[in-house]
Amino acid sequence: MAAQFGRLRKGAVNTTVAAVVVAALAASQAPGVTTDDAGRKVTTGTQPSPDTPAENSATGNSPYYTDLPPLNSPNPSPTTGTPVTQGTSEAGIPATVLDAYKKAATALQESKPGCNLPWELLAAIGKVESGQARGGRVDANGNTLSKILGPQLNGNGFASISDTDGGAYDGDSSYDRAVGPMQFIPSTWEWAGRDGNGDGKKDPNNVYDAALAAGHYLCRFGWDLSTKGDLDSAILSYNNSQDYLNLVLRWLEYYRKGTHEIPDGTGTLPSDRSDDTAGASPTPTPPGTPTTPSSPSTPKPGGGDGGSTSPKPTPPPSTTPPATPTPTPTDTVHHLEDAGTAKLSAMAGDAFTEKITARAETKAGKAVPKVRIRFAIIGATDAAFSTGEKYATTLTNSIGEAVAPALKAGENTGEFVVRATVVGRTVSGLDYTATVTERAADTLARTGEEALTCTPGGEFADQVEVKATYKGAVADKVAATATLIKSADDATENDKGPYFKDADGKTVRTLTGLTTDANGLLKLPKLYADDTTGTFLLRINTAGGATLTVELKVAAADTSPTPTPSEPASGSDSASPSPGA
């Protein structure tokens, strides 16, 4: 959100009006709280969860603009070419900002089609969070002309979120602030940030980056935003407030009825805010910025204040010591301990059966609940969490334990590391080593039972097909080799008998680079026979140790005539006597 915010309080008049206007929109299933696969609570109804910490929202539950949409719906217009203002600027969306929303929604349609993210939802959130990047005050690349910062989340009327980025995003090395047109707090941006404009950077102050990040944030956990329950949950996860949900839904409905683009920088800032401050207040100066003290004015002889010719004495500084802040749970964390995580190993493409569990403890070894633990996948791997991300943040439970989402192996084999760290606290991280092994099979079986025979110099009528399984399940994409061997005890390649042909028609008796299909099936090329007769063996091996030996026979065709039954001569007396004669 733009500017320095004051103490978080709901604007009584404005939010009451908002609640009345959108009462019908807010009605839905009974509220409830469930646990997602990242171990944190999410709402299943339209009510915010009082147990959800502010740091688990995108914005840290920072203040937002509370102005309602105009009563008259805007008229839609094309968004290509030169933007043309239609109606009030309040009803329009600045051209670059609108383009960012639409490109982000298009990208999500490709990467997460089941989410059904409408660009109008991004526009609604962007309106409420920053007044569409302060009325579209962005350059041609989507960068805001000045930083948009929320208030210092220091617990004074807001959530208390200690610094997590060293001031890299928000310029504050003491506490976090929401940043940019979509108002991400730094710890959320660290894993949710995206490069939306292709410049190789993930900048929360760029509207393309921020809009794409917001889209992915709203589409996590498999939410389908075309359903009311998931839509409400996604919005509440952005800012955990019923008033916020109602207001975003109102703007969403408004933009869905049609809108138009206006030139960048011509949008109007909303005038009301949830913390009762003016909408156009200036961007706060980051803490630590030096200020130049003003020089005392030189008194004019015989003039000035009551005729005094001497400057007023400076009052002595206050001797009241500053209050010592109450330490947060995060402040008490001394180290992380492994909470019994078993060996992490999975075959390529499979989910890891074990989950990583870390425990936050004080120096005395006491468990610390309600602390955010960040899990990050490190190393050259295509493995990811079940959320599809390389990062995940979960909250420690009542016994101080945080459970990471399930890991899913990619196709790259080898080891990688998952590092657990405490968000907002500089303590040593805890590393977990995970191993991805190649796909394997433990059993091979032919799919047919017919004998495989051939005449010398001919070709086998049937092709060999086998099915691979692992622990009874289909073993897909498993590497295999096939070799025509000399004997059951000699697995070296035979130099006579059946053979395959390569692309040039040359004789080949060993096939490598074979792979089972999605159903675990492997069908070998056609087999041919040279002039050698006898019984031969084909051996198939797969990764994981599965082996199958198939018998092949090459024999000359049987050329002896087929006997025909003899018939008695007509009228012969030698006919067989009838039974009983």
Short mmCIF file of all heavy atoms in Angstrom, two decimals, residues 142-184:
data_model
loop_
_atom_site.label_atom_id
_atom_site.label_comp_id
_atom_site.label_asym_id
_atom_site.label_seq_id
_atom_site.Cartn_x
_atom_site.Cartn_y
_atom_site.Cartn_z
N GLY A 142 6.90 -1.35 -16.09
CA GLY A 142 6.08 -1.78 -14.96
C GLY A 142 6.66 -1.47 -13.60
O GLY A 142 6.08 -1.85 -12.58
N ASN A 143 7.81 -0.77 -13.54
CA ASN A 143 8.40 -0.42 -12.25
C ASN A 143 7.68 0.78 -11.65
O ASN A 143 7.44 1.78 -12.34
CB ASN A 143 9.89 -0.09 -12.42
CG ASN A 143 10.68 -1.27 -12.97
OD1 ASN A 143 10.61 -2.36 -12.45
ND2 ASN A 143 11.42 -1.03 -14.05
N THR A 144 7.35 0.72 -10.36
CA THR A 144 6.72 1.87 -9.72
C THR A 144 7.71 3.03 -9.67
O THR A 144 8.91 2.83 -9.48
CB THR A 144 6.25 1.51 -8.30
OG1 THR A 144 7.37 1.05 -7.53
CG2 THR A 144 5.21 0.41 -8.35
N LEU A 145 7.21 4.23 -9.85
CA LEU A 145 8.09 5.41 -9.88
C LEU A 145 8.69 5.69 -8.52
O LEU A 145 9.73 6.35 -8.42
CB LEU A 145 7.30 6.62 -10.39
CG LEU A 145 6.71 6.47 -11.80
CD1 LEU A 145 6.01 7.75 -12.23
CD2 LEU A 145 7.79 6.08 -12.81
N SER A 146 8.07 5.23 -7.48
CA SER A 146 8.65 5.28 -6.13
C SER A 146 8.15 4.06 -5.38
O SER A 146 7.13 3.46 -5.74
CB SER A 146 8.23 6.57 -5.40
OG SER A 146 6.81 6.64 -5.29
N LYS A 147 8.88 3.67 -4.35
CA LYS A 147 8.51 2.46 -3.62
C LYS A 147 7.18 2.64 -2.90
O LYS A 147 6.87 3.72 -2.39
CB LYS A 147 9.59 2.09 -2.61
CG LYS A 147 10.84 1.48 -3.24
CD LYS A 147 11.78 0.95 -2.19
CE LYS A 147 12.96 0.25 -2.83
NZ LYS A 147 13.89 -0.34 -1.82
N ILE A 148 6.41 1.58 -2.89
CA ILE A 148 5.14 1.55 -2.16
C ILE A 148 5.35 0.66 -0.95
O ILE A 148 5.51 -0.55 -1.07
CB ILE A 148 4.00 1.01 -3.05
CG1 ILE A 148 3.88 1.85 -4.33
CG2 ILE A 148 2.69 1.00 -2.28
CD1 ILE A 148 2.85 1.32 -5.31
N LEU A 149 5.38 1.27 0.22
CA LEU A 149 5.70 0.55 1.46
C LEU A 149 4.57 0.64 2.47
O LEU A 149 3.94 1.68 2.63
CB LEU A 149 6.98 1.11 2.09
CG LEU A 149 8.27 1.00 1.27
CD1 LEU A 149 9.41 1.70 1.99
CD2 LEU A 149 8.61 -0.46 1.03
N GLY A 150 4.34 -0.46 3.13
CA GLY A 150 3.38 -0.49 4.22
C GLY A 150 4.03 -0.04 5.51
O GLY A 150 5.22 0.31 5.55
N PRO A 151 3.29 -0.06 6.61
CA PRO A 151 3.83 0.38 7.90
C PRO A 151 4.82 -0.63 8.46
O PRO A 151 4.86 -1.79 8.05
CB PRO A 151 2.61 0.47 8.79
CG PRO A 151 1.70 -0.58 8.24
CD PRO A 151 1.90 -0.55 6.75
N GLN A 152 5.61 -0.18 9.40
CA GLN A 152 6.54 -1.07 10.09
C GLN A 152 5.72 -2.03 10.95
O GLN A 152 4.98 -1.61 11.84
CB GLN A 152 7.49 -0.24 10.96
CG GLN A 152 8.65 -1.03 11.54
CD GLN A 152 9.54 -0.15 12.39
OE1 GLN A 152 9.08 0.42 13.39
NE2 GLN A 152 10.80 -0.02 12.00
N LEU A 153 5.85 -3.33 10.69
CA LEU A 153 5.07 -4.33 11.43
C LEU A 153 5.79 -4.66 12.73
O LEU A 153 6.42 -5.70 12.88
CB LEU A 153 4.88 -5.57 10.55
CG LEU A 153 4.10 -5.32 9.25
CD1 LEU A 153 4.04 -6.57 8.39
CD2 LEU A 153 2.69 -4.82 9.55
N ASN A 154 5.69 -3.71 13.66
CA ASN A 154 6.46 -3.79 14.91
C ASN A 154 5.59 -4.12 16.12
O ASN A 154 6.04 -3.99 17.25
CB ASN A 154 7.18 -2.46 15.15
CG ASN A 154 6.22 -1.28 15.18
OD1 ASN A 154 5.00 -1.45 15.20
ND2 ASN A 154 6.77 -0.07 15.17
N GLY A 155 4.35 -4.55 15.88
CA GLY A 155 3.47 -4.90 16.99
C GLY A 155 2.73 -3.72 17.57
O GLY A 155 1.88 -3.90 18.43
N ASN A 156 3.02 -2.51 17.13
CA ASN A 156 2.37 -1.31 17.65
C ASN A 156 1.12 -1.03 16.82
O ASN A 156 1.11 -0.20 15.92
CB ASN A 156 3.32 -0.12 17.60
CG ASN A 156 2.71 1.14 18.21
OD1 ASN A 156 1.76 1.05 18.99
ND2 ASN A 156 3.24 2.29 17.84
N GLY A 157 0.04 -1.79 17.11
CA GLY A 157 -1.18 -1.65 16.34
C GLY A 157 -1.23 -2.59 15.16
O GLY A 157 -2.24 -2.68 14.48
N PHE A 158 -0.13 -3.28 14.88
CA PHE A 158 -0.07 -4.23 13.79
C PHE A 158 0.52 -5.53 14.32
O PHE A 158 0.88 -5.65 15.47
CB PHE A 158 0.83 -3.70 12.66
CG PHE A 158 0.45 -2.33 12.18
CD1 PHE A 158 1.16 -1.21 12.57
CD2 PHE A 158 -0.63 -2.16 11.33
CE1 PHE A 158 0.80 0.04 12.12
CE2 PHE A 158 -0.98 -0.91 10.87
CZ PHE A 158 -0.27 0.20 11.28
N ALA A 159 0.64 -6.49 13.41
CA ALA A 159 1.36 -7.72 13.76
C ALA A 159 2.82 -7.37 14.01
O ALA A 159 3.33 -6.36 13.51
CB ALA A 159 1.24 -8.73 12.62
N SER A 160 3.50 -8.21 14.78
CA SER A 160 4.93 -8.03 15.00
C SER A 160 5.68 -9.05 14.16
O SER A 160 5.64 -10.24 14.44
CB SER A 160 5.28 -8.20 16.48
OG SER A 160 6.67 -8.06 16.68
N ILE A 161 6.34 -8.57 13.10
CA ILE A 161 7.10 -9.45 12.22
C ILE A 161 8.52 -8.88 12.12
O ILE A 161 8.75 -7.86 11.47
CB ILE A 161 6.47 -9.56 10.82
CG1 ILE A 161 5.02 -10.02 10.92
CG2 ILE A 161 7.28 -10.51 9.94
CD1 ILE A 161 4.30 -10.12 9.59
N SER A 162 9.44 -9.53 12.81
CA SER A 162 10.83 -9.06 12.79
C SER A 162 11.39 -9.14 11.39
O SER A 162 10.93 -9.90 10.54
CB SER A 162 11.68 -9.91 13.75
OG SER A 162 11.19 -9.83 15.07
N ASP A 163 12.42 -8.35 11.14
CA ASP A 163 13.03 -8.28 9.81
C ASP A 163 13.46 -9.65 9.31
O ASP A 163 14.05 -10.44 10.05
CB ASP A 163 14.25 -7.36 9.86
CG ASP A 163 15.00 -7.36 8.55
OD1 ASP A 163 14.41 -6.96 7.53
OD2 ASP A 163 16.17 -7.78 8.54
N THR A 164 13.14 -9.95 8.05
CA THR A 164 13.52 -11.23 7.45
C THR A 164 14.41 -11.07 6.23
O THR A 164 14.91 -12.07 5.70
CB THR A 164 12.27 -12.03 7.02
OG1 THR A 164 11.56 -11.30 6.02
CG2 THR A 164 11.37 -12.31 8.21
N ASP A 165 14.60 -9.83 5.77
CA ASP A 165 15.36 -9.64 4.52
C ASP A 165 16.53 -8.68 4.66
O ASP A 165 17.14 -8.30 3.66
CB ASP A 165 14.42 -9.13 3.42
CG ASP A 165 13.87 -7.74 3.72
OD1 ASP A 165 13.74 -7.39 4.92
OD2 ASP A 165 13.59 -6.99 2.78
N GLY A 166 16.85 -8.31 5.91
CA GLY A 166 17.95 -7.36 6.09
C GLY A 166 17.68 -6.02 5.44
O GLY A 166 18.61 -5.28 5.10
N GLY A 167 16.39 -5.72 5.23
CA GLY A 167 16.02 -4.45 4.60
C GLY A 167 16.19 -4.44 3.10
O GLY A 167 16.05 -3.38 2.46
N ALA A 168 16.45 -5.58 2.49
CA ALA A 168 16.72 -5.61 1.05
C ALA A 168 15.52 -5.14 0.24
O ALA A 168 15.68 -4.43 -0.77
CB ALA A 168 17.10 -7.03 0.63
N TYR A 169 14.31 -5.51 0.64
CA TYR A 169 13.12 -5.14 -0.12
C TYR A 169 12.46 -3.88 0.43
O TYR A 169 11.99 -3.04 -0.33
CB TYR A 169 12.10 -6.28 -0.12
CG TYR A 169 12.56 -7.52 -0.85
CD1 TYR A 169 12.65 -8.75 -0.19
CD2 TYR A 169 12.89 -7.47 -2.20
CE1 TYR A 169 13.06 -9.89 -0.86
CE2 TYR A 169 13.31 -8.61 -2.87
CZ TYR A 169 13.40 -9.82 -2.19
OH TYR A 169 13.81 -10.94 -2.85
N ASP A 170 12.39 -3.80 1.76
CA ASP A 170 11.60 -2.72 2.36
C ASP A 170 12.44 -1.62 3.00
O ASP A 170 11.90 -0.68 3.57
CB ASP A 170 10.64 -3.29 3.41
CG ASP A 170 11.35 -4.12 4.49
OD1 ASP A 170 12.59 -4.08 4.55
OD2 ASP A 170 10.65 -4.81 5.25
N GLY A 171 13.79 -1.74 2.95
CA GLY A 171 14.64 -0.71 3.53
C GLY A 171 14.60 -0.67 5.03
O GLY A 171 15.07 0.30 5.63
N ASP A 172 14.06 -1.69 5.67
CA ASP A 172 13.92 -1.70 7.13
C ASP A 172 14.64 -2.93 7.68
O ASP A 172 14.26 -4.06 7.37
CB ASP A 172 12.43 -1.75 7.50
CG ASP A 172 12.18 -1.47 8.98
OD1 ASP A 172 13.06 -1.79 9.80
OD2 ASP A 172 11.11 -0.93 9.31
N SER A 173 15.66 -2.73 8.45
CA SER A 173 16.42 -3.85 9.00
C SER A 173 15.96 -4.24 10.40
O SER A 173 16.59 -5.08 11.04
CB SER A 173 17.92 -3.51 9.03
OG SER A 173 18.14 -2.35 9.82
N SER A 174 14.86 -3.64 10.86
CA SER A 174 14.33 -3.98 12.18
C SER A 174 13.07 -4.83 12.09
O SER A 174 12.95 -5.86 12.74
CB SER A 174 14.01 -2.70 12.97
OG SER A 174 15.18 -1.94 13.18
N TYR A 175 12.13 -4.37 11.26
CA TYR A 175 10.87 -5.07 11.10
C TYR A 175 10.50 -5.12 9.62
O TYR A 175 10.97 -4.31 8.83
CB TYR A 175 9.74 -4.38 11.89
CG TYR A 175 9.92 -4.44 13.39
CD1 TYR A 175 10.59 -3.43 14.06
CD2 TYR A 175 9.41 -5.51 14.12
CE1 TYR A 175 10.77 -3.48 15.45
CE2 TYR A 175 9.56 -5.58 15.49
CZ TYR A 175 10.25 -4.56 16.15
OH TYR A 175 10.42 -4.63 17.51
N ASP A 176 9.65 -6.07 9.29
CA ASP A 176 9.19 -6.17 7.91
C ASP A 176 8.11 -5.15 7.61
O ASP A 176 7.40 -4.68 8.52
CB ASP A 176 8.66 -7.59 7.64
CG ASP A 176 9.74 -8.54 7.18
OD1 ASP A 176 10.87 -8.06 6.93
OD2 ASP A 176 9.48 -9.74 7.07
N ARG A 177 7.97 -4.82 6.32
CA ARG A 177 6.90 -3.97 5.81
C ARG A 177 6.37 -4.61 4.54
O ARG A 177 7.12 -5.28 3.82
CB ARG A 177 7.41 -2.57 5.46
CG ARG A 177 7.99 -1.78 6.64
CD ARG A 177 8.76 -0.57 6.13
NE ARG A 177 9.32 0.21 7.23
CZ ARG A 177 8.85 1.39 7.63
NH1 ARG A 177 7.82 1.92 7.01
NH2 ARG A 177 9.40 2.02 8.64
N ALA A 178 5.10 -4.40 4.24
CA ALA A 178 4.57 -4.86 2.97
C ALA A 178 5.14 -3.98 1.86
O ALA A 178 5.33 -2.77 2.03
CB ALA A 178 3.04 -4.78 2.96
N VAL A 179 5.42 -4.60 0.70
CA VAL A 179 6.16 -3.91 -0.36
C VAL A 179 5.44 -4.04 -1.70
O VAL A 179 4.92 -5.11 -2.04
CB VAL A 179 7.58 -4.51 -0.51
CG1 VAL A 179 8.37 -3.77 -1.57
CG2 VAL A 179 8.33 -4.47 0.82
N GLY A 180 5.42 -2.94 -2.47
CA GLY A 180 5.00 -2.98 -3.86
C GLY A 180 3.52 -2.87 -4.10
O GLY A 180 2.71 -2.79 -3.18
N PRO A 181 3.12 -2.88 -5.37
CA PRO A 181 1.71 -2.68 -5.73
C PRO A 181 0.78 -3.79 -5.25
O PRO A 181 -0.41 -3.58 -5.10
CB PRO A 181 1.74 -2.61 -7.26
CG PRO A 181 3.03 -3.25 -7.67
CD PRO A 181 3.99 -2.95 -6.57
N MET A 182 1.34 -4.99 -4.98
CA MET A 182 0.50 -6.07 -4.46
C MET A 182 0.80 -6.34 -2.98
O MET A 182 0.28 -7.30 -2.40
CB MET A 182 0.67 -7.34 -5.28
CG MET A 182 0.33 -7.17 -6.75
SD MET A 182 -1.34 -6.57 -7.07
CE MET A 182 -2.29 -8.07 -6.94
N GLN A 183 1.66 -5.54 -2.37
CA GLN A 183 1.88 -5.50 -0.92
C GLN A 183 2.30 -6.85 -0.31
O GLN A 183 1.68 -7.32 0.65
CB GLN A 183 0.65 -4.95 -0.22
CG GLN A 183 0.47 -3.45 -0.41
CD GLN A 183 1.54 -2.64 0.32
OE1 GLN A 183 1.41 -2.34 1.49
NE2 GLN A 183 2.61 -2.29 -0.39
N PHE A 184 3.35 -7.43 -0.84
CA PHE A 184 3.92 -8.65 -0.25
C PHE A 184 4.87 -8.29 0.89
O PHE A 184 5.67 -7.36 0.75
CB PHE A 184 4.70 -9.44 -1.29
CG PHE A 184 3.84 -10.27 -2.20
CD1 PHE A 184 3.48 -9.81 -3.46
CD2 PHE A 184 3.40 -11.52 -1.80
CE1 PHE A 184 2.70 -10.58 -4.30
CE2 PHE A 184 2.62 -12.30 -2.64
CZ PHE A 184 2.27 -11.83 -3.90
#
